[in-house]
Amino acid sequence: MGLGLLTGIIVARTLGPDGRGALTAVLTVPQVLGWLFGMGCGKAVTFALARDPAAGGRLLATWALILVPVALVAVLTGEALLPHLLAAQPAETLALARLYLPTIALALMAELMLGLLLGDQDFPVFNALAFAQPAATAAAYLLLWADGRFTVESAVVTQAVTSALVLLAATIRVVSRHGLARPDAALGRRTGWYALRTHGEVVGGVVTQRLDLLIIPAFLSAAGVGLYALATNLSWLVVTLSSALATVVMPAASHRGEGGRTLILHSLHATFAIGAVLGGGLFLFAGPAIHLVYGPDFAGSVLPLRLLLPGAVLYAAAGILLNGLYAENRPGTATVAQSLGMAVTVLALPVFLRSGGLLAAAIVSTVAYTLVFVTAAVLYRRATGLPWRAFLPDPARLAALWPRRRPGRAATESAATETAG
């Protein structure tokens, strides 16, 4: 989170709203297409490897073979969509986006490798790699800024290089643990079916989370995109930090069977607590913080950020419940929750964005996030048969964790007198 803030400050202070908007427009399309064309492979290999630790080599070979043609189709799709998605942007931004587009292949392979690391429950390496990419990006940004060569173009090159390095490190780790094996058609069919059932949830999640940033460049100027991108990125700090458990809870809960439900509920309580504290702080201090850190040019980001924060907290909690459904082998059920959020986003954004601008986009996103959480809670309860009271923190458990007050001197002396008497 700290590294994300650092890189955001460098971009905002150096490039301003226009430059930040151009950078967002270039980076968002390959990221979103990578998620859309990922076919749910990350969740599928995580679930399969958590259940069968000996399948790692076959999963790696099978899914690498599947993803090669998928990556080609994704790049060609991006080439066709870019002129429409970046319709309101200058020609230089479109040309740079086309050069960056092949990194979709890196995103697809990274999803596979990181999914295998999670299936191994190799959480230290997974978290180290998750930290390494923003750390390398922040270091490169600082060097470029100090040398006076920080531009949109150099920032895009930095993103491509750091993504490639993290993918290389993840691949080396996975191959060293599992080696290389022959592709397994039967395993591919079995995990492919699981992946297709998860892919609806992935697509719905991507649309709910990123459709605003994907289509805003077609309606608003680069400055408007930059203001909204800042608000979105700050609100997603809440999701990134408070939903950190969501990433590891699915393989851990899958490994525990029915005992994993307790893990899901405790993770839900922790996510709510962290999200409420962080989101509440950002809501209160959004105005002075943005003015001080990013500069007065980004004052237009304050209200959209405040509108996004309640939905961000709920969406982080929804991530725990959706991963709980995956652990229950209900990926299709998880799709329902994201599909409803996607429907709100797809139907409402084009209607309200042109007239309502940034505020309309923020309101639509918060409504969609809230709907995903409510639906996920209902579906998880139905899948597990748990009563609603199980979703609430246990007061006795909280009391056991709360530090007891040390008795004062007078109370201690009184107790000693009573004991002596």
Side-chain angles (χ1 to χ4, degrees):
M1 185 183 70
L3 291 168
L5 283 171
L6 176 60
T7 54
I9 293 168
I10 295 171
V11 172
R13 288 288 186 177
T14 308
L15 305 179
D18 287 329
R20 187 179 181 91
L23 182 60
T24 300
V26 171
L27 299 181
T28 298
V29 175
Q31 182 185 58
V32 171
L33 290 178
W35 288 336
L36 292 178
F37 281 86
M39 298 178 59
C41 75
K43 296 289 187 185
V45 298
T46 297
F47 183 80
L49 192 56
R51 292 293 180 91
D52 181 9
R58 290 177 292 130
L59 284 168
L60 171 60
T62 302
W63 275 97
L65 189 63
I66 292 172
L67 290 177
V68 169
V70 172
L72 178 60
V73 173
V75 172
L76 294 175
T77 302
E79 286 285 352
L81 291 177
L82 275 176
H84 305 287
L85 294 174
L86 304 184
Q89 308 307 307
E92 295 82 3
T93 302
L94 177 59
L96 187 58
R98 281 180 165 147
L99 290 174
Y100 186 70
L101 196 61
T103 60
I104 294 174
L106 300 180
L108 292 175
M109 294 304 298
E111 182 177 356
L112 170 61
M113 298 304 170
L114 295 176
L116 290 169
L117 287 175
L118 286 173
D120 270 331
Q121 300 192 65
D122 194 0
F123 301 138
V125 172
F126 176 88
N127 284 321
L129 292 176
F131 178 80
Q133 183 163 354
T137 300
Y141 279 13
L142 284 171
L143 291 174
L144 290 168
W145 172 71
D147 197 38
R149 293 188 296 170
F150 186 73
T151 62
V152 174
E153 292 79 7
S154 63
V156 169
V157 172
T158 297
Q159 291 286 343
V161 171
T162 55
S163 298
L165 291 175
V166 168
L167 172 60
L168 177 62
T171 303
I172 292 172
R173 176 68 172 183
V174 170
V175 172
S176 67
R177 290 177 68 97
H178 298 285
L180 295 174
R182 290 177 178 272
D184 187 330
L187 182 62
R189 287 192 298 270
R190 188 165 64 252
T191 56
W193 172 234
Y194 185 96
L196 289 176
R197 289 185 292 153
T198 69
H199 196 46
E201 189 271 332
V202 173
V203 171
V206 170
V207 172
T208 303
Q209 298 167 26
R210 287 292 181 262
L211 184 64
D212 47 4
L213 284 176
L214 191 63
I215 69 172
I216 279 178
F219 292 90
L220 303 180
S221 67
V225 177
L227 293 174
Y228 189 76
L230 177 64
T232 301
N233 288 347
L234 288 176
S235 70
W236 273 84
L237 292 176
V238 176
V239 180
T240 301
L241 184 62
S242 60
S243 66
L245 287 169
T247 304
V248 300
V249 78
M250 184 269 213
S254 299
H255 187 70
R256 287 165 171 77
E258 289 193 7
R261 295 173 181 175
T262 301
L263 176 64
I264 294 292
L265 294 177
H266 289 172
S267 300
L268 178 66
H269 303 154
T271 299
F272 257 128
I274 298 170
V277 171
L278 183 59
L282 278 174
F283 189 93
L284 291 175
F285 299 105
I290 288 178
H291 185 277
L292 178 66
V293 176
Y294 296 96
D297 290 342
F298 287 89
S301 300
V302 174
L303 186 53
L305 170 61
R306 284 177 169 153
L307 292 172
L308 285 166
L309 283 170
V313 174
L314 292 174
Y315 196 78
I320 298 291
L321 297 171
L322 294 173
N323 278 280
L325 287 169
Y326 282 127
E328 296 286 334
N329 199 10
R330 299 287 188 91
T333 305
T335 300
V336 175
Q338 289 286 18
S339 297
L340 292 177
M342 179 180 69
V344 170
T345 306
V346 170
L347 295 176
L349 268 181
V351 174
F352 297 108
L353 184 57
R354 192 182 297 275
S355 59
L358 307 184
L359 299 185
I363 292 171
V364 168
S365 295
T366 284
V367 170
Y369 298 160
T370 302
L371 183 60
V372 171
F373 168 74
V374 172
T375 308
V378 171
L379 293 176
Y380 186 73
R381 177 181 178 271
R382 181 178 298 176
T384 59
L386 295 170
W388 281 117
R389 65 177 179 274
F391 287 76
L392 301 175
D394 183 1
R397 184 170 176 270
L398 292 177
L401 295 175
W402 193 262
R404 297 181 179 179
R405 288 185 59 189
R406 296 175 64 90
R409 180 177 178 182
T412 305
E413 291 176 351
S414 175
T417 301
E418 290 178 4
T419 304

